[in-house]
Structures are given as structure tokens and as C-alpha cells.
Amino acid sequence: MGSVSEGKLRFCIDRGGTFTDVYAEIPGQADGRVLKLLSVDPLNYDDAPVEGIRRILEEFGGEKIPRSSKIPTEKIEWIRMGTTVATNALLERKGERIAVCVTQGFRDLLQIGNQARPNIFDLTVSKPSNLYEEVVEVEERVLLAQAKEEGDNQGASSSLVKGISGELVRIVKPLNEEALKPVLKNLLDKGISCLAVVLMHSYTYPQHEQQVEKLALSLGFKHVSISSALTPMVRAVPRGLTASVDAYLTPVIKEYLSGFISKFDEGLGKLNVLFMQSDGGLAPESTFSGHKAILSGPAGGVVGYSQTLFGLETEKPLIGFDMGGTSTDVSRYAGSYEQVLETQIAGSIIQAPQLDINTVAAGGGSKLKFQFGAFKVGPESVGAHPGPVCYRKGGELAITDANLILGYVIPDYFPSIFGPNEDQPLDVGLTRVEFEKLARQINSYRKNHDPSTKDMTVEEIALGFVDVANEAMCRPIRQLTEMKGHETKNHALACFGGAGPQHACAIARSLGMKEVLIHKFCGILSAYGMGLANVVEEAQEPYSAVYGAESTIEVSQREAVLLRQVKQKLQNQGFKEENISLETYLNLRYDGTDTAIMVKRQIAEDGNLSDFATEFLRLFQQEYGFKLQNRNIMICDVRVRGVGVTNILRPQAIESASGSPKVEAYYKVYFGNGWQETPLYKLEKLGYGHMVSGPAVIMNGNSTVIVEPNCRAIITKYGNIKIEIDSPLSSVKISDKVADVVQLSIFNHRFMGIAEQMGRTLQRTSISTNIKERLDFSCALFGPNGGLVANAPHVPVHLGAMSSTVQWQLNYWGDNLNEGDVLVTNHPSAGGSHLPDITVITPVFFNGKLVFFVANRGHHAEIGGITPGSMPPFSKSILEEGAAIKTFKLVEKGVFQEEGIIKLLQFPSSDDRGNKVPGTRKIQDNLSDLRAQVAANQRGISLVQELIEQYGLETVQAYMNYVQMNAEEAVREMLKSVGHRISSESNENSVTVEEEDYMDDGSVIHVKLSIDSIKGEAVFDFGGTSSEVYGNWNAPEAVTAAAVIYCLRCLVDVDIPLNQGCLAPVKILIPEGSFLSPSDSAAVVGGNVLTSQRITDVVFTAFQACACSQGCMNNLTFGDDTFGYYETIGGGSGAGPSWDGTSGVQCHMTNTRMTDPEIFEQRYPVILHKFGLRENSGGDGVHRGGDGLLREIEFRRPVTVSILSERRVHAPRGLKGGKDGARGGNYLIKKDKRKIYLGGKNTVQVLPGEILQILTPGGGGWGSPL
């Protein structure tokens, strides 16, 4: 424990959202003092941490300390504190009023972000609000110099300097301070006195940002956050968002901290106080800032379990499981803290070192619902007020209520703080009444489907919801471990937080873990962890170079300078040299990829320093499963970390057990096989070595630990609880007629989890930017007949479309499929979309029988064809679009057929006129990504087989059918509701609506939508659609199916799995020979990316759901013989009956990400002059359509540019009297300033200095404007 100096107290405090936890070490007492109080209680005290310290000092000193007087500091040795002040301010949008300064031309950079929408099925495209009120465009510009700058007409007026990263920087336009000064003064006049600054390439050339900071502070701004100082790393968007978060939160934190410190009589003079940062290190008040404070509380928990359990209680790596009221935090520890450099919290990207903590929207307060025959838990929370039903505040049913019903929460041991006088216990009676109401609804539904079924009891229903919640929490744990190449079952579960120990056994069992560890301070472990943390100082700078002998010398020099800086900072805080440890990291990546790994310098066994590159290769192989041959390793950043070791809290051994453990009382607790009389023990009365067999309840302060039957709890040397888990295989009874409503939800999670984990594997093991960074892929699970079971929602245009691909292969191969075979296809007539989307399909066998298929589809940036990038605007036949494969065994009986696939990809057939069509220009990238696709399917197979081994084949296949029936029911209910709404005027039971829209060439998409409101069925009849076109916007039938299933899923607006059941109540009729069902030889590259968008617009208009969105993906490709680049550009989304459209986002059938402007200019021969919103391009209306985007790109060397776009002739339509959105436009601005209109589809040879200007369409408005 360490000696407490001179009779002084030590305080560890975690100020959480609901409760503040205090742990105090008191001189002469073996056990610390634990105190828990409400974080906000204005009637009794101003500040919870101060109140906690005051109460404990009163107890210790025996003297009254009035709340009105300052706290005496002579009895306080130190205070360590974590706080959610920053997190709450961010979540509730209660930070400081701020403005953002950006480089001219990038006004909307932070609003656009990566242009992806958060939830692909949310028609409102709701995004978190901006943190800033105003944007200032700063007249300044620097560019990275390129080796060959032919025609780069910046001339002698611009100067070259060497940036911090070693890159040459051209100062094109020095900062115009005179123009900036009046603009900043105007902000001050408006009451905005905090500023965030992000200028292009400031990570390597920070001088302009520093000038802005100096000017702003001289004018009277109270706080300025410059991105280059906070996070000097390439990528303007995350760096700018980090600066805005810091500017928004730091003043709030500083105000809170100064208020906190002012409550003590000596202020900062003698008060030793440190604050927990997101990276698990402590910092003094002077350096504690907003962007490093977001995970302050959760970080304390990670430090707490890692430093007290790993190595002391187990040698297994640990999964931290911190279950609170509104959410659950999941983390991993295996001897060192796992950190990430970037995370997204409350819609804001934060780029700073932080512990890798994943938050799941499932906690004790997660709402319980019964929808479409399945149990749903969360993601909505009942919150602390009104809270669950049992809190007596008129709340809704939540997980806490289910635990109360089951006896997992015991009112006798829960504080009586409820009711009008805050003196009543939890309300079991009312909770049961509410569950009985829910039981009537559930049993009525079940009886309708199977009259012979037996009613579920309240307890069975409560247990069902707990089981579903547990599975929801298992999903992210599997992802956290397995996406990094670790086996989940090889870990121990370190469980803490208020609700965690009630769920620990069940979750460990589901994950195949054998061991659960619960710390004796599990209810306040985040607070206790504050006292175990060290003080951390960091320094980092960018350095751009190829890793090699020369660059490592430069690294050593930079490292030495940075190490001196952090060491000095720690010594200034009183740390002696022997208590300081120093670490060096290099941020490394393979050339041509965006996946950087922060590599820590390791000490080899012989005591010498190991090579960074060797460690990078090891980590890359571990995480991604392969190495890239003959590829340079690039250095991105040099980072050092200085740790001041505190050693202030030490775990203390407890006395050995004497006699049998004492039972305090017996309580009835409900487990899977009914109520059981269960002994209750108090942890403080148990000794080292005591063993308690389940079922049992152990009360650990206010935390209830449930030891399930067939498990046993052992009290460890340090007074913690170790639970050994017995893991029998689950068995589920199946009915021929109706699914078990609980297991239905669990299998929905499991099936979707398989598709998601396949996606993680594909993203991990691929090398192309399209798959790894832009996430242009989808993964899915299919039944033995090819019917879709679960489709992870990656790219909407792939949704449901792979089913016809799998069925085509099944019909073709019949019985000629063997274990170890893997099929590859991309041909539209075989269920494909367009040729760059290659589908890889693997049959899943169990005991020799074909039982499932797994498949994935990924966009390959190069597949051959008449233009680089394989997206030719003028293709007239599929043969001009690249290699077309109907079917091929990519792997045959376990052997990868490399020679065969290379031949198919590099030597496609000649076109109709006998001309040789170029094959792929990037065969190695194709092969690497195909191997990644095979690996993703292999991951899916092992997960399917694991599921079958757990539940049995019959059960798994039964639930495969049940989840499809469940989705079908959800779609039927939606169609009934929409049918009634549309037909309410005519009082008919069926309704028919016709809609049509035009492609820019005049070809029409016509749909006749017929809805039967009684049966909940619909027919989408595309009769009247134009014939196949002599162009490339023909769309295979699979694309129309994907568009329809996407629209239906958006309209259902409930989180149902995407599967074949969604299309069961739907008929899609497409006339053969139309451009929605073209011939085998038709060109189709634009159908997937353009026509799919028009189909969704027509269908949504028929449903009267929302106005038309931009209706295009604005596909841009450029390149030459040495490189290729591809992007899709967002636009405006359509307005709806209760919402405005969103500006500058990917709409409907795509959701791929945009390359960061700095990476764009660093990697490619371009200058991005403008990227922003196209003001007033959204259609007017009661609700306005979203605005499109403006993108201006200057080319620095000759390249071939292709644009494939729509809505350049026919505007996105408004609805219900709303105005149309603006049409898009594509222009080439020549060096002599001539502006040439390129039309919607064109290929052009561009010269250096010429500028491509793309204007994307706005969304349609809703409702007649006033």
C-alpha cells in the first residue's frame, strides 16, 4: 500500500455522470475509506468531489468543516481525479462558444468530414451538430513540393522551405494578417473569444497557425487551440476536429478546475492534484486540456483492473468489462496499454493518444422492447432520470428492472433513496406489474402464431431480455479481440462497474472464457485506478521518410531532442531520474497504404535495442495476417512518452480463511431452470482461500456478484473474487411452428455478428484503399439454397444483391462443389453489379453436407478495360469494361489457382470488333485483395461451424429460417401501415401508385407500386422502363433488387436484419431487355453507381417518403501508367415531411469515405483549391433539400481524367410542392481561364495547371415554400 506520509490523506476520485466515487487512504487504517455520492445534488452541495473530501476529512479529523468554508489542505498529501466534465459538455453540447479558422477554400471542411453518413438507413441523415458557431477563411496557402512539378506555375513568387516532417513546402500565399485582424475583432464583438485553427499542411509547416494564435491572443481571445500543436499529424479533418473539440472543452475544464482548486485554503500553492487523461496517464492542471480529457473516467478503470489483476491474479490477457447505467466500456490488457491515436466520440473525431476503449450502447438503463416477434434491448437508455421503473419516477422497463425481477438485484442491499422523500427502496411491485403488461403482449403474439404454445412467465421474459443484452455486449468483445488476431476464449474477463458483476458469468460463458475476475473495489475501480496511474508527458512530431539507414540516423536525432523535452517536464514536476522511464515510438506504414501502426521500440533479449522495422513487420503480420513483399516502409511520425512512476497505491494481502464461509441470508434467485434458494455472502467477511459454489450471491459493497450454477468463486490473496466458469454447450429446444422469441433475437445477433466479423477480417487483410479505407465492400451469410440470412450493412448497393449471385453459382455447379472450393465471379448476368465489384463465394460444409454459403463483394480499383480505374464513361459493351468472369474456382480443394485467375484478369476476351481489351493494370493488388476476400470467408466458415457446434445444425438452420420470417413480418407490417396511409383517402384495401424519373439521356425508369394493405404485400412493376441503352448505365437486375431492399429497410425504421425475408412479401417485375434487365453483353459500369440512385429516388417518391436526393455518386477517376485514383463525391440529401435535407453527404446507395485533403495532395499530383458546400443548391420548401458540394482540383502533371455522373440534365425533384434541387455540373478550366463544360460523362487528357471543377446536385425540398 505504501506509507502515508506524516499522517496525511490520499484521495482518488472519479466524478462520473451519475455518481462520484471517492477512495481515500487514511493513516493507520489498513482498509481505505470508500464513499459514493450523487455527482449533481445542488440542494446539498456545489461540487461532489469537494464534498467527498470534506466529509472524509471531518471523519478523520473529528472536526466540523462547514460547507461555506474552504477545505484545509494540511491533512491532504495528494488528490488524483478523473472527471466526465469534458465528456458531458461534449455530449450535451454545453461547451464554450468557438469559431474555427481554416485555409481559404475549405470553409466547410469540418462539416463535410469524410462525407459518410452515420446510419445508412436513416433518411433524415441526422449528424451531430457542429461545435463551432462561425468559420473564418484565412488568406494563406502552403503546398507540398513534388519531385516533378512540370507546369506548376507558382513561379518564383513562392518560396520553398523544409517542413518539420522533412518534406519540402512551397509557401504559395503568406498569411494576410491585415485581412484577418478585422474578422477576428468582429468575432470578439459577437462574444466569441475562443478559437480553433486548422490550416492545410500545418502538421509540417505550423508557422501560419502560430501567427494566427499570436494575433488572436493579442486581440483579446482567451483561448486558442492550434491543430499543429495538439496533434502534429497529417490529415486535416481529424486534426481540425481535434482542435475544435479542444477549443470547445478546454475553457470549460479550466473553469471547473479553477473552481475546484479555489475551494481549498492553499489553492494550488500546496495542493498536490493531478488529473487522469484519456491515455491512462496523469497530468497537472496546467497541461490538462479538453481533447485529452474525454475518456478520463473510463481510463481510470482500465488502469485499475490492469495494475491489480494482470500478473497478480492471472497470467491470461484481460478483457475489461465496465458496465454502467447507460453504456458498457470494453477494453483489453495483455501487459501493456492498448492505445489508439484516433477515436470518434459524440460525432467528433479526436486525434490524440488514448486507451482503446470501445463503448456499447447497452447498460443497466437500456430500454426493453418487444417488436415484430423479437426481444430488443437498447440502444435507447432510460437515463438516470426518470430511470428504470423500479426507481419510482415513472420510467420505462430497463435491464435493471429485469435483474430486479430475477433476484440479481436485492433491494435489502440497495440504497433506499427513491420516492418523494428519497427514503424508499426499489419498487419490485410496480416493476412486476409493468412486466406483466409486457407478458400479455408477448404471449398474445405467440398464441396468434402457435395456439398450442405455453405462456411465458414474467421471469422467463426478464431472463430473455438479460440474455439478449448479454449477446449484444458479447459482439463488441469478439470484435475487439478477434479483429486484432487474438482468440477471445483465451482471455479472462475483468469485470467492474455497477451492473457488470450481475452479468459476468453469463457473458464469460457465451464467449467461451473460463475465468472471471472481480476486484474488491469493482464498484469504484475507476476511482481506485487514479491512485495506480503514473504521470505521463508526451511529445511528437511528423517525419516523412522511407525507413532505412539514413532516416534512422535522423530519427535518433529527433528522438534525443524530444526525450530531453519530456524528461525536463517530468523533472520540473519533482520526479527524480530513477523514477522516470522513457519510451520511443515510430508511426510506420507500408508505402501505398493508409494503415499506420504506432511501433514501440523494444529491448531485445541481449539488451540491445531492436529494429523498428522488424517489430512493425511482426505487428502487421499479427494484426493483418500477411506481409507485403518488396514494399518500402514509410515513417510518418516520431513520438516519445515519458512516464513518472508514482508507486503510490499497492495491493494488500488479506488474512487467510478460517472456517467455512458465513452465509448472511438466503434469497430466491431465478436461473434458467427456475427459482433457486440461494445463499448470500458478504465479501468483507470472506477470507483468502474461501470457496463458494454457485448458485450464490456475493455482496461487494453496493455491487451484487452473481455466481451462477456450475460456477465457483474463490477469494484471492488480495481479496478479489475469481470465478471459475463451467461452460456446458447451450441447447435450444426448437419448435416446428414458431421461433422462441428470445433465441430469435440472440440468433439475429449471432448471424449479423458473423457477417460483421467477416467484414473486419476483409478490412484487416486487404491492401487496397478502396476496401481498407473507403470501406467499399460487403459481407454476407446465406442458406444452402442461396437465400440471404444476414448482410452486414456496409455499402447499400450490395444489399441483398449477392443472393442472386450465390444462387446462380449453385445452379451452375450443382453437386460439383467440394469442401475447400472457393468461387469467384463479377459478371452481371451471373448476379453481379459491375465488373470492379468482385464477389468471392465459399460453400460451408458440416460433416460432408453443404449447410451454408459465405460471400463477400469488394470494389477493385483496377479490373482492366479501356480506361485506368475501370470506370470508363464511354463504354458501350461489357467487353470494354475489363475482365468479366461468370464463374471460376479461385481455390479448388484448398489450392489457390493463381495461374488461372491471373490469366482471366490480365487477358480478358477481345471486344465485339476484335480489338484487344486491356487487362488489369494492378494484378498484384487484385491478388492481394482476392486473398483477403478468401480469408474473410474462411473467418465466416469458422464462426458458422462454432455456432453449429454450440447449438447443433438443426437448431441453427431452423433459426436461419426464423430470422428470415421475422424480417418478412417486419416488412409486411410496414407495407400494411404505408398502404393504409396512402389509401386512407380512397378507403380501398389495396392501392396503386405510379412514378417515373429520367436519366440524363432521356431514358425513363417507370414503377407501378401496388400495395395490398390487408396482406402487407407489394408489387414493384418496372414495366414502361426504357430499353437497354447504348451506354453504360444499364443496371443488372441485382441492382434493382438491392435498391428495393434498401428502400424497404429505410421505411421499416427498425433494426431488423437484412435478409431474404425482406423481399418475401415483395414481387419485383422487370421487363427483359429494358435497361434494368440488359443483355449479357451490355455495358453496366454506370448502372451500379448511377442508375441505382435513380431507382431509389423513384421508389421513395412512390412511397411519398422523401424528396429526391442528389441521385448520383459523382464518380471521378484519374491516373496514368504509374497510378490510379478513384473517389465518389457526396451531395445533398432530400428533405422529408419533418426534416431538412443534409448537405454534403453520401446519399442512399453508397456511403464510401472521402480521402483527406492533405493525404490527397501528399500522395497524388494535385492541388485541391476548393472543397465545400454549394450554397443554396438544395431545393426550397417548408423543409429545404441539402446542398451539394463544390470540388476544384488542379493537376500538377498530365493525367487521364474520367467523370461518370448524372443529374446534370434532370434535376433532383422536390415533393409535395417543394422545389427541385440544383443540377450538377462538370467543368474543365484551362490555363487561359477558359471554362469548358464536360457534360455528365467524359474522359479528358488534362495538362498541368488545368483545373477540374465538379458541382454536385442538391437535394429536393419538401412542401410548398411560403
Side-chain angles (χ1 to χ4, degrees):
M1 180 181 280
S3 64
V4 180
S5 69
E6 301 167 12
K8 292 187 175 184
L9 284 75
R10 299 165 165 182
F11 290 94
C12 306
I13 303 171
D14 175 30
R15 186 189 185 280
T18 309
F19 289 104
T20 290
D21 298 329
V22 183
Y23 173 82
E25 284 212 330
I26 296 172
Q29 293 187 16
D31 297 325
R33 170 76 165 89
V34 173
L35 184 65
K36 206 177 203 40
L37 60 167
L38 287 168
S39 291
V40 181
D41 191 356
L43 296 176
N44 291 310
Y45 44 82
D46 294 333
D47 183 76
V50 172
E51 176 67 10
I53 292 169
R54 189 190 68 78
R55 289 185 190 180
I56 291 172
L57 283 175
E58 277 190 349
E59 281 178 30
F60 171 67
E63 292 176 21
K64 194 83 178 150
I65 303 171
R67 285 199 176 110
S68 56
S69 67
K70 294 200 173 192
I71 306 285
T73 52
E74 75 271 5
K75 292 293 183 189
I76 299 173
E77 185 182 344
W78 50 248
I79 300 168
R80 306 282 184 264
M81 189 159 115
T83 173
T84 56
V85 168
T87 319
N88 293 345
L90 188 60
L91 291 170
E92 297 164 16
R93 292 299 194 256
K94 289 182 179 174
E96 190 70 29
R97 293 181 67 196
I98 67 165
V100 173
C101 290
V102 296
T103 301
Q104 199 167 40
F106 295 90
R107 177 180 188 82
D108 306 301
L109 181 70
L110 301 187
Q111 182 174 339
I112 298 164
N114 63 12
Q115 74 177 3
R117 55 197 196 281
N119 176 357
I120 61 174
F121 302 119
D122 175 15
L123 292 178
T124 68
V125 194
S126 51
K127 293 168 74 176
S129 58
N130 293 327
L131 300 180
Y132 51 86
E133 289 181 36
E134 302 267 347
V135 180
V136 175
E137 289 189 83
V138 180
E139 285 184 42
E140 69 84 42
R141 190 65 157 101
V142 301
L143 293 173
L144 299 181
Q146 298 205 335
K148 294 179 181 175
E149 294 189 340
E150 304 105 339
D152 188 2
N153 56 357
Q154 310 304 328
S157 62
S158 54
S159 55
L160 277 174
V161 295
K162 194 172 186 180
I164 294 171
S165 65
E167 295 163 291
L168 280 180
V169 175
R170 187 182 290 281
I171 303 165
V172 178
K173 191 187 290 182
L175 179 76
N176 186 341
E177 286 197 26
E178 289 309 306
L180 181 59
K181 192 181 288 185
V183 183
L184 293 181
K185 281 182 175 173
N186 186 38
L187 290 176
L188 289 169
D189 293 341
K190 291 179 179 177
I192 297 173
S193 60
C194 291
L195 207 58
V197 187
V198 55
L199 304 180
M200 284 287 286
H201 302 296
S202 64
Y203 70 95
T204 188
Y205 186 79
Q207 284 86 334
H208 284 175
E209 285 194 356
Q210 290 163 358
Q211 282 176 256
V212 174
E213 178 185 33
K214 189 176 175 184
L215 175 63
L217 291 173
S218 73
L219 292 173
F221 278 80
K222 68 178 185 184
H223 181 80
V224 181
S225 296
I226 61 172
S227 73
S228 54
L230 295 169
T231 171
M233 298 174 75
V234 66
R235 289 202 300 156
V237 171
R239 205 173 64 247
L241 287 168
T242 303
S244 63
V245 166
D246 192 71
Y248 187 71
L249 297 179
T250 298
V252 175
I253 287 173
K254 295 293 185 193
E255 187 180 342
Y256 172 74
L257 297 188
S258 64
F260 172 77
I261 289 161
S262 71
K263 300 286 197 312
F264 296 86
D265 61 5
E266 295 283 347
L268 261 183
K270 289 192 178 172
L271 188 65
N272 176 352
V273 57
L274 293 171
F275 298 92
M276 175 63 79
Q277 301 182 118
S278 301
D279 64 356
L282 296 164
E285 177 268 347
S286 56
T287 62
F288 188 56
S289 68
H291 75 296
K292 290 184 176 178
I294 302 296
L295 295 175
S296 178
V302 177
V303 174
Y305 81 75
S306 62
Q307 300 306 305
T308 57
L309 301 178
F310 184 81
L312 290 170
E313 304 286 22
T314 184
E315 294 304 318
K316 289 184 179 180
L318 297 169
I319 293 293
F321 177 73
D322 177 7
M323 185 175 177
T326 53
S327 62
T328 297
D329 291 325
V330 175
S331 56
R332 181 177 182 274
Y333 185 84
S336 61
Y337 294 124
E338 298 197 351
Q339 294 194 335
V340 289
L341 284 172
E342 186 175 308
T343 192
Q344 188 162 348
I345 298 169
S348 297
I349 292 174
I350 296 162
Q351 202 176 40
Q354 50 214 295
L355 296 178
D356 190 1
I357 298 172
N358 294 259
T359 300
V360 197
S366 293
K367 282 186 188 177
L368 312 182
K369 296 186 291 286
F370 181 73
Q371 282 179 317
F372 304 122
F375 281 36
K376 295 277 189 322
V377 177
E380 306 87 1
S381 171
V382 297
H385 183 84
V389 170
C390 59
Y391 279 17
R392 301 176 184 264
K393 293 182 185 175
E396 298 175 66
L397 285 175
I399 283 294
T400 299
D401 292 309
N403 282 329
L404 180 65
I405 287 289
L406 298 169
Y408 298 173
V409 173
I410 298 169
D412 295 353
Y413 288 88
F414 204 92
S416 293
I417 53 171
F418 306 102
N421 298 322
E422 299 186 347
D423 59 355
Q424 291 180 270
L426 294 167
D427 193 333
V428 182
L430 184 58
T431 303
R432 182 166 282 279
V433 167
E434 290 300 317
F435 263 109
E436 282 166 353
K437 284 185 199 167
L438 185 59
R440 287 193 286 276
Q441 177 196 343
I442 292 168
N443 288 323
S444 164
Y445 172 91
R446 294 173 73 243
K447 279 276 198 289
N448 286 340
H449 285 71
D450 179 8
S452 65
T453 192
K454 195 172 143 223
D455 279 357
M456 289 181 78
T457 65
V458 162
E459 291 78 15
E460 286 170 338
I461 289 167
L463 185 59
F465 277 114
V466 169
D467 287 345
V468 171
N470 289 342
E471 184 54 45
M473 291 182 282
C474 285
R475 244 165 97 178
I477 294 174
R478 290 189 188 102
Q479 286 177 7
L480 176 75
T481 50
E482 290 168 15
M483 73 177 283
K484 291 185 177 177
H486 308 293
E487 282 270 1
T488 312
K489 65 185 179 188
N490 295 337
H491 294 69
L493 192 69
C495 190
F496 56 108
Q502 296 156 31
H503 297 254
C505 289
I507 283 177
R509 183 179 277 123
S510 286
L511 294 167
M513 294 179 179
K514 301 286 189 195
E515 194 177 313
V516 172
L517 291 163
I518 299 169
H519 194 276
K520 63 181 175 183
F521 293 133
C522 69
I524 60 141
L525 195 58
S526 289
Y528 188 72
M530 307 296 164
L532 298 166
N534 295 317
V535 177
V536 170
E537 289 287 351
E538 294 204 345
Q540 179 172 325
E541 67 180 36
Y543 175 45
S544 186
V546 175
Y547 187 89
E550 196 176 316
S551 60
T552 49
I553 295 168
E554 173 75 13
V555 164
S556 298
Q557 291 167 353
R558 288 171 179 250
E559 174 192 10
V561 172
L562 295 173
L563 286 172
R564 274 199 302 275
Q565 289 173 15
V566 298
K567 189 173 176 183
Q568 188 61 54
K569 284 181 180 176
L570 288 168
Q571 286 174 335
N572 292 346
Q573 293 175 48
F575 285 95
K576 296 193 173 89
E577 186 143 351
E578 61 268 24
N579 292 330
I580 295 175
S581 67
L582 300 169
E583 301 164 357
T584 302
Y585 300 80
L586 284 190
N587 203 20
L588 301 175
R589 63 177 173 84
Y590 277 122
D591 191 15
T593 74
D594 271 351
T595 310
I597 297 177
M598 193 61 81
V599 180
K600 181 180 175 182
R601 189 199 293 281
Q602 302 294 324
I603 309 293
E605 287 180 10
D606 59 7
N608 292 322
L609 297 176
S610 67
D611 179 49
F612 279 108
T614 307
E615 183 64 9
F616 169 77
L617 294 174
R618 186 189 71 78
L619 290 170
F620 196 93
Q621 172 85 41
Q622 177 186 300
E623 188 152 335
Y624 302 119
F626 64 96
K627 290 178 185 171
L628 292 178
Q629 303 300 327
N630 307 315
R631 189 79 71 106
N632 281 335
I633 296 172
M634 307 298 293
I635 304 171
C636 304
D637 306 275
V638 183
R639 174 182 162 211
V640 302
R641 180 177 165 92
V643 179
V645 181
T646 54
N647 287 328
I648 49 183
L649 291 187
R650 299 277 176 84
Q652 189 180 22
I654 63 167
E655 288 182 19
S656 293
S658 57
S660 303
K662 184 193 171 196
V663 177
E664 301 292 324
Y666 284 89
Y667 286 88
K668 284 194 168 172
V669 182
Y670 190 90
F671 295 101
N673 52 358
W675 288 104
Q676 296 199 35
E677 198 73 20
T678 305
L680 180 142
Y681 304 87
K682 285 186 176 177
L683 180 60
E684 65 264 30
K685 294 187 180 175
L686 297 176
Y688 170 36
H690 266 144
M691 191 166 64
V692 173
S693 295
V697 177
I698 301 175
M699 290 309 304
N700 179 7
N702 286 331
S703 294
T704 310
V705 180
I706 297 294
V707 185
E708 292 193 351
N710 302 318
C711 298
R712 62 178 192 159
I714 299 160
I715 308 306
T716 71
K717 178 181 176 182
Y718 296 106
N720 304 316
I721 304 170
K722 179 186 282 192
I723 303 178
E724 295 174 349
I725 306 291
D726 178 46
S727 304
L729 286 176
S730 301
S731 58
V732 180
K733 293 175 192 162
I734 59 166
S735 153
D736 294 335
K737 300 177 188 171
V738 64
D740 177 293
V741 287
V742 175
Q743 291 300 330
L744 181 62
S745 296
I746 289 173
F747 273 96
N748 271 340
H749 275 293
R750 293 301 291 268
F751 289 142
M752 191 62 98
I754 291 170
E756 284 172 353
Q757 285 206 52
M758 287 171 63
R760 299 275 184 157
T761 303
L762 179 52
Q763 189 185 354
R764 262 191 332 112
T765 55
S766 63
I767 81 151
S768 70
T769 300
N770 272 332
I771 294 177
K772 202 170 205 70
E773 304 300 325
R774 294 182 61 250
L775 309 184
D776 196 347
F777 66 84
S778 284
C779 298
L781 173 68
F782 303 85
N785 62 352
L788 179 64
V789 177
N791 197 138
H794 296 117
V795 179
V797 78
H798 298 161
L799 296 175
M802 282 190 277
S803 187
S804 50
T805 316
V806 175
Q807 286 164 350
W808 192 96
Q809 300 297 324
L810 189 56
N811 292 336
Y812 180 88
W813 291 100
D815 294 332
N816 291 324
L817 286 175
N818 303 299
E819 207 158 342
D821 287 353
V822 181
L823 309 174
V824 65
T825 177
N826 68 342
H827 202 293
S829 68
S833 47
H834 64 177
L835 297 184
D837 282 344
I838 298 183
T839 306
V840 172
I841 302 162
T842 310
V844 183
F845 290 87
F846 191 77
N847 293 337
K849 180 184 171 188
L850 177 62
V851 291
F852 280 96
F853 285 94
V854 286
N856 64 73
R857 179 170 286 177
H859 185 109
H860 287 238
E862 180 55 63
I863 198 75
I866 56 177
T867 60
S870 307
M871 298 286 287
F874 293 134
S875 53
K876 302 293 188 287
S877 154
I878 196 165
L879 298 170
E880 297 176 329
E881 294 180 349
I885 304 166
K886 282 192 175 175
T887 187
F888 176 69
K889 284 192 176 180
L890 179 64
V891 180
E892 188 163 12
K893 294 183 181 173
V895 180
F896 191 82
Q897 304 294 312
E898 186 164 327
E899 195 178 322
I901 192 65
I902 287 175
K903 191 175 175 188
L904 286 169
L905 290 173
Q906 285 200 309
F907 307 103
S909 311
S910 303
D911 68 13
D912 298 340
R913 294 179 292 281
N915 299 319
K916 195 81 187 134
V917 175
T920 177
R921 300 162 180 86
K922 292 268 188 180
I923 186 64
Q924 289 307 321
D925 284 5
N926 295 128
L927 291 174
S928 293
D929 281 348
L930 284 170
R931 284 195 176 94
Q933 289 181 266
V934 171
N937 283 359
Q938 195 54 44
R939 179 80 194 122
I941 290 172
S942 63
L943 291 169
V944 169
Q945 289 174 339
E946 213 174 271
L947 198 61
I948 292 170
E949 281 163 14
Q950 185 176 354
Y951 289 100
L953 177 62
E954 187 185 3
T955 300
V956 173
Q957 290 201 316
Y959 277 90
M960 173 192 79
N961 293 322
Y962 290 148
V963 296
Q964 292 174 331
M965 288 156 62
N966 177 232
E968 176 185 343
E969 182 173 348
V971 173
R972 281 191 191 278
E973 289 301 317
M974 181 274 294
L975 290 171
K976 287 176 188 175
S977 140
V978 170
H980 285 308
R981 176 167 56 79
I982 298 176
S983 64
S984 57
E985 296 154 20
S986 60
N987 293 319
E988 297 288 328
N989 288 331
S990 63
V991 61
T992 300
V993 182
E994 296 196 49
E995 276 297 340
E996 64 182 30
D997 204 342
Y998 297 88
M999 303 297 287
D1000 281 353
D1001 73 325
S1003 51
V1004 66
I1005 294 177
H1006 184 100
V1007 69
K1008 183 161 103 178
L1009 170 62
S1010 306
I1011 301 176
D1012 185 324
S1013 308
I1014 302 299
K1015 293 181 182 174
E1017 293 178 350
V1019 177
F1020 293 82
D1021 185 350
F1022 288 91
T1025 295
S1026 298
S1027 302
E1028 179 179 317
V1029 296
Y1030 188 56
N1032 62 19
W1033 50 100
N1034 299 294
E1037 289 191 7
V1039 170
T1040 302
V1044 169
I1045 201 171
Y1046 164 77
C1047 293
L1048 293 174
R1049 173 61 185 81
C1050 289
L1051 293 167
V1052 168
D1053 197 27
V1054 169
D1055 189 15
I1056 59 165
L1058 287 154
N1059 61 44
Q1060 212 64 32
C1062 293
L1063 287 176
V1066 170
K1067 262 194 193 143
I1068 302 174
L1069 306 175
I1070 304 173
E1072 203 171 327
S1074 70
F1075 79 108
L1076 300 186
S1077 180
S1079 64
D1080 274 17
S1081 60
V1084 296
V1085 75
N1088 192 53
V1089 292
L1090 302 177
T1091 311
S1092 64
Q1093 295 283 53
R1094 197 59 38 82
I1095 298 167
T1096 56
D1097 276 345
V1098 174
V1099 171
F1100 280 133
T1101 306
F1103 277 108
Q1104 301 284 284
C1106 59
C1108 294
S1109 290
Q1110 69 157 337
C1112 175
M1113 292 187 196
N1114 306 294
N1115 302 268
L1116 171 65
T1117 54
F1118 61 82
D1120 58 19
D1121 291 340
T1122 63
F1123 80 98
Y1125 174 78
Y1126 172 55
E1127 70 181 23
T1128 58
I1129 308 170
S1133 73
S1138 60
W1139 68 87
D1140 289 350
T1142 300
S1143 302
V1145 289
Q1146 293 285 26
C1147 300
H1148 295 323
M1149 300 305 285
T1150 185
N1151 200 34
T1152 54
R1153 283 132 175 80
M1154 176 60 82
T1155 305
D1156 188 89
E1158 288 181 344
I1159 295 284
F1160 190 50
E1161 291 189 348
Q1162 186 189 52
R1163 307 260 176 97
Y1164 303 99
V1166 293
I1167 301 168
L1168 185 61
H1169 285 297
K1170 288 182 183 173
F1171 183 39
L1173 299 181
R1174 189 183 164 205
E1175 287 188 14
N1176 299 317
S1177 55
D1180 201 5
V1182 174
H1183 294 287
R1184 283 189 62 87
D1187 288 335
L1189 289 169
L1190 164 64
R1191 196 158 168 85
E1192 280 188 10
I1193 303 166
E1194 178 182 336
F1195 295 92
R1196 302 174 82 168
R1197 74 179 201 227
V1199 291
T1200 303
V1201 174
S1202 297
I1203 183 79
L1204 187 57
S1205 61
E1206 271 283 332
R1207 291 288 196 204
R1208 270 53 181 173
V1209 177
H1210 295 283
R1213 292 182 301 165
L1215 206 56
K1216 300 284 189 182
K1219 301 293 184 188
D1220 292 351
R1223 294 174 299 179
N1226 308 317
Y1227 300 89
L1228 184 66
I1229 302 170
K1230 307 290 277 185
K1231 286 171 76 170
D1232 61 7
K1233 306 302 180 194
R1234 279 182 303 133
K1235 193 172 181 177
I1236 299 166
Y1237 183 58
L1238 298 176
K1241 301 166 183 68
N1242 219 326
T1243 295
V1244 60
Q1245 301 299 319
V1246 174
L1247 296 173
E1250 293 184 338
I1251 295 172
L1252 178 68
Q1253 184 188 68
I1254 299 173
L1255 307 172
T1256 72
W1262 177 287
S1264 189
L1266 298 173

